[in-house]
Amino acid sequence: CPRQNTALREMLRLCKDIMRADVLEEPLAERRLGDMDAAALRERSHYPQKYYGQGHFQPDFGDGEALLWLNRLRTEIRRTELLCCAAFSDRDDRLTRQDLGKALNRLSSYCYLLMIGEKARGKNGREVMGEK
């Protein structure tokens, strides 16, 4: 799906920028994913039924290969987010690189929206990510 390819390229670009910001110890600017800012990503990932006609779900082996790979990717992003919190916490458990933690959280939410779109597409056979 061309829309998913674009989304995956966008996610890859953010992953590269996260690594760059970490290595060079530079701040990572907030960015839009899929033309959504952080607030829109949060809103849509918390209320997918409202935006995509597909509610929250637990992935199942019958959901199709693309959705299951997206779920695997999201799991790895979440694991990386937890490792980021562990690696960049000071002695008082305050996150010293909030920019990286937030970016990983947004990446996970965006991946979840791709999963929602894939699930909805499997149900009704049409593209949903660009629709309201």
Side-chain angles (χ1 to χ4, degrees), residues 14 16 35 52-54 74 79 85 131:
L14 179 53
K16 289 177 178 181
D35 288 332
Y52 307 112
Q54 169 62 54
R74 183 168 184 246
R79 187 168 76 99
C85 290
E131 300 173 10

Side-chain angles (χ1 to χ4, degrees), residues 15 21 23-24 26 50 77 108 110 116 126 130-131:
C15 288
V23 169
L24 298 177
E26 296 176 346
K50 177 179 172 182
I77 294 167
S108 173
Y110 191 52
I116 293 286
R126 65 185 173 90
E131 300 173 10

Side-chain angles (χ1 to χ4, degrees), residues 57-68 118-119 122:
F57 67 97
Q58 298 255 335
D60 182 80
F61 69 91
D63 282 330
E65 191 173 358
L67 191 145
L68 297 177
E118 191 64 32
K119 181 75 167 181

Side-chain angles (χ1 to χ4, degrees), residues 45 48 55-57 74 107-117:
S45 65
H56 296 290
F57 67 97
R74 183 168 184 246
L107 201 57
S108 173
S109 294
Y110 191 52
C111 191
Y112 182 60
L113 291 180
L114 294 178
M115 290 172 60
I116 293 286

